[in-house]
Amino acid sequence: MQLSDEAAAYQNEIQALVVVLFPEFTQVFADPCLPTALGVLKAFPSAQAVAEAGVEASPSCCGHRSQRTNGRPTAQKLVAFAKQSASSGRAVGGRSVSLRILCDQLEHTQANLARLEAEIEQLLTNDPQVKGLQQIPEFGSKTVAVLRAELGISSVLRVPMK
Protein backbone atom coordinates (compact mmCIF):
# COMPACT_ATOMS: atom_id res chain seq x y z
CA MET A 1 0.00 0.00 0.00
CA GLN A 2 2.91 2.32 0.73
CA LEU A 3 4.33 1.84 -2.78
CA SER A 4 0.89 2.52 -4.30
CA ASP A 5 0.62 5.70 -2.25
CA GLU A 6 4.11 6.79 -3.32
CA ALA A 7 3.29 6.15 -6.98
CA ALA A 8 0.10 8.22 -6.66
CA ALA A 9 2.04 11.05 -5.02
CA TYR A 10 4.63 11.03 -7.82
CA GLN A 11 1.85 11.06 -10.42
CA ASN A 12 0.24 14.08 -8.76
CA GLU A 13 3.54 15.94 -8.62
CA ILE A 14 4.29 15.13 -12.26
CA GLN A 15 0.89 16.38 -13.35
CA ALA A 16 1.36 19.58 -11.35
CA LEU A 17 4.75 20.25 -12.96
CA VAL A 18 3.45 19.48 -16.45
CA VAL A 19 0.75 22.12 -15.98
CA VAL A 20 3.48 24.68 -15.32
CA LEU A 21 6.18 23.52 -17.77
CA PHE A 22 4.00 22.52 -20.73
CA PRO A 23 0.25 22.98 -20.11
CA GLU A 24 -0.66 21.75 -23.61
CA PHE A 25 1.16 18.43 -23.15
CA THR A 26 -2.06 16.70 -22.07
CA GLN A 27 -3.66 17.60 -25.40
CA VAL A 28 -1.24 15.14 -26.98
CA PHE A 29 -0.81 12.67 -24.10
CA ALA A 30 -3.99 12.46 -22.02
CA ASP A 31 -2.12 10.85 -19.12
CA PRO A 32 1.42 12.19 -18.63
CA CYS A 33 2.21 9.26 -16.35
CA LEU A 34 1.91 6.49 -18.93
CA PRO A 35 5.17 4.97 -20.23
CA THR A 36 5.40 6.78 -23.59
CA ALA A 37 4.53 10.14 -22.06
CA LEU A 38 7.08 9.60 -19.27
CA GLY A 39 9.71 8.89 -21.91
CA VAL A 40 8.92 12.14 -23.67
CA LEU A 41 8.95 14.12 -20.43
CA LYS A 42 12.30 12.67 -19.41
CA ALA A 43 13.81 13.59 -22.79
CA PHE A 44 12.04 16.95 -23.17
CA PRO A 45 10.66 18.12 -19.80
CA SER A 46 9.34 21.51 -20.92
CA ALA A 47 7.60 23.20 -23.84
CA GLN A 48 10.83 25.09 -24.45
CA ALA A 49 12.84 21.83 -24.67
CA VAL A 50 10.33 20.31 -27.13
CA ALA A 51 10.29 23.45 -29.29
CA GLU A 52 14.10 23.61 -29.37
CA ALA A 53 14.44 19.90 -30.20
CA GLY A 54 11.97 20.10 -33.07
CA VAL A 55 10.18 17.34 -34.90
CA GLU A 56 13.30 15.52 -36.08
CA ALA A 57 14.56 14.86 -32.55
CA SER A 58 11.20 13.88 -31.11
CA PRO A 59 9.67 10.96 -33.09
CA SER A 60 11.58 8.21 -31.30
CA CYS A 61 10.17 9.45 -28.00
CA CYS A 62 6.61 9.82 -29.26
CA GLY A 63 5.83 6.32 -30.42
CA HIS A 64 6.52 2.72 -29.68
CA ARG A 65 10.21 1.92 -29.90
CA SER A 66 9.59 -0.51 -32.76
CA GLN A 67 7.47 1.99 -34.70
CA ARG A 68 9.67 5.07 -35.04
CA THR A 69 7.77 6.44 -38.04
CA ASN A 70 4.40 6.27 -36.27
CA GLY A 71 5.68 8.73 -33.69
CA ARG A 72 6.20 11.50 -36.23
CA PRO A 73 2.58 12.80 -36.29
CA THR A 74 2.56 12.83 -32.51
CA ALA A 75 5.89 14.65 -32.48
CA GLN A 76 4.56 17.20 -34.96
CA LYS A 77 1.55 17.93 -32.75
CA LEU A 78 3.73 18.14 -29.66
CA VAL A 79 6.17 20.59 -31.30
CA ALA A 80 3.32 22.72 -32.64
CA PHE A 81 1.80 22.98 -29.17
CA ALA A 82 5.23 23.66 -27.65
CA LYS A 83 5.88 26.59 -29.98
CA GLN A 84 2.56 28.16 -28.98
CA SER A 85 2.71 27.15 -25.33
CA ALA A 86 1.28 29.25 -22.53
CA SER A 87 4.11 28.05 -20.27
CA SER A 88 5.36 30.81 -17.99
CA GLY A 89 9.01 30.02 -18.63
CA ARG A 90 9.90 30.73 -15.00
CA ALA A 91 12.44 28.47 -13.33
CA VAL A 92 12.33 26.07 -16.28
CA GLY A 93 15.75 24.60 -15.48
CA GLY A 94 15.00 23.66 -11.88
CA ARG A 95 11.49 22.47 -12.61
CA SER A 96 12.73 20.39 -15.55
CA VAL A 97 15.26 18.64 -13.32
CA SER A 98 12.53 18.00 -10.75
CA LEU A 99 10.23 16.59 -13.42
CA ARG A 100 12.90 14.21 -14.72
CA ILE A 101 13.64 13.01 -11.19
CA LEU A 102 9.94 12.46 -10.48
CA CYS A 103 9.54 10.50 -13.73
CA ASP A 104 12.48 8.28 -12.74
CA GLN A 105 11.07 7.82 -9.25
CA LEU A 106 7.63 6.91 -10.60
CA GLU A 107 9.08 4.35 -13.00
CA HIS A 108 11.22 2.85 -10.25
CA THR A 109 8.30 2.70 -7.82
CA GLN A 110 6.02 1.15 -10.44
CA ALA A 111 8.67 -1.49 -11.21
CA ASN A 112 9.03 -2.30 -7.51
CA LEU A 113 5.26 -2.46 -7.13
CA ALA A 114 4.97 -4.86 -10.08
CA ARG A 115 7.68 -7.10 -8.59
CA LEU A 116 5.98 -7.07 -5.21
CA GLU A 117 2.56 -7.87 -6.70
CA ALA A 118 4.07 -10.76 -8.68
CA GLU A 119 5.68 -12.11 -5.49
CA ILE A 120 2.36 -11.83 -3.61
CA GLU A 121 0.56 -13.70 -6.39
CA GLN A 122 3.19 -16.44 -6.33
CA LEU A 123 2.97 -16.78 -2.55
CA LEU A 124 -0.81 -16.95 -2.66
CA THR A 125 -0.73 -19.53 -5.43
CA ASN A 126 1.57 -21.74 -3.36
CA ASP A 127 -0.37 -21.32 -0.08
CA PRO A 128 -3.18 -23.87 0.17
CA GLN A 129 -4.56 -22.16 3.25
CA VAL A 130 -5.84 -19.10 1.36
CA LYS A 131 -8.36 -20.92 -0.84
CA GLY A 132 -11.32 -19.99 1.38
CA LEU A 133 -10.40 -16.32 1.35
CA GLN A 134 -9.92 -16.31 -2.41
CA GLN A 135 -13.49 -17.51 -2.88
CA ILE A 136 -14.85 -14.25 -1.50
CA PRO A 137 -15.45 -12.07 -4.59
CA GLU A 138 -14.85 -8.80 -2.76
CA PHE A 139 -11.35 -9.86 -1.69
CA GLY A 140 -8.56 -9.10 -4.11
CA SER A 141 -5.11 -10.61 -3.85
CA LYS A 142 -3.82 -7.73 -1.70
CA THR A 143 -6.64 -8.11 0.80
CA VAL A 144 -6.14 -11.87 0.96
CA ALA A 145 -2.38 -11.42 1.45
CA VAL A 146 -2.88 -8.89 4.25
CA LEU A 147 -5.44 -11.04 6.05
CA ARG A 148 -3.25 -14.11 5.74
CA ALA A 149 -0.08 -12.35 6.84
CA GLU A 150 -1.43 -10.13 9.60
CA LEU A 151 -4.23 -12.18 11.09
CA GLY A 152 -3.23 -15.70 10.16
CA ILE A 153 -6.67 -16.30 8.70
CA SER A 154 -6.61 -19.44 6.65
CA SER A 155 -8.89 -22.01 5.17
CA VAL A 156 -10.64 -22.43 8.51
CA LEU A 157 -12.79 -19.59 7.23
CA ARG A 158 -15.46 -21.50 5.38
CA VAL A 159 -17.21 -19.74 2.58
CA PRO A 160 -20.63 -21.13 1.70
CA MET A 161 -20.79 -22.21 -1.90
CA LYS A 162 -23.64 -20.83 -3.98
Side-chain angles (χ1 to χ4, degrees), residues 17 21 41 44-46 49 91-101:
L17 278 173
L21 288 168
L41 290 172
F44 310 103
S46 67
V92 171
R95 288 178 173 153
S96 294
V97 169
S98 293
L99 182 57
R100 283 182 170 132
I101 290 169

Side-chain angles (χ1 to χ4, degrees), residues 74-139:
T74 302
Q76 289 171 331
K77 283 198 291 189
L78 199 62
V79 170
F81 280 124
K83 289 181 178 179
Q84 302 298 317
S85 181
S87 172
S88 72
R90 291 190 197 143
V92 171
R95 288 178 173 153
S96 294
V97 169
S98 293
L99 182 57
R100 283 182 170 132
I101 290 169
L102 287 167
C103 290
D104 284 337
Q105 288 175 318
L106 177 59
E107 288 174 333
H108 182 73
T109 301
Q110 288 173 331
N112 285 338
L113 189 56
R115 281 196 304 268
L116 182 60
E117 288 172 347
E119 180 69 20
I120 289 171
E121 287 298 326
Q122 183 180 8
L123 290 170
L124 292 177
T125 300
N126 296 329
D127 185 352
Q129 296 186 337
V130 298
K131 300 304 178 208
L133 290 171
Q134 290 175 322
Q135 292 175 1
I136 301 172
E138 292 83 8
F139 286 2

Side-chain angles (χ1 to χ4, degrees), residues 22-102:
F22 192 176
E24 301 80 8
F25 187 84
T26 55
Q27 293 179 35
V28 178
F29 295 99
D31 185 348
C33 297
L34 292 178
T36 302
L38 286 174
V40 172
L41 290 172
K42 286 169 60 174
F44 310 103
S46 67
Q48 180 183 357
V50 172
E52 288 173 3
V55 174
E56 296 307 316
S58 304
S60 63
C61 291
C62 294
H64 298 290
R65 289 182 178 96
S66 63
Q67 301 172 336
R68 182 181 170 94
T69 56
N70 289 345
R72 188 170 182 80
T74 302
Q76 289 171 331
K77 283 198 291 189
L78 199 62
V79 170
F81 280 124
K83 289 181 178 179
Q84 302 298 317
S85 181
S87 172
S88 72
R90 291 190 197 143
V92 171
R95 288 178 173 153
S96 294
V97 169
S98 293
L99 182 57
R100 283 182 170 132
I101 290 169
L102 287 167

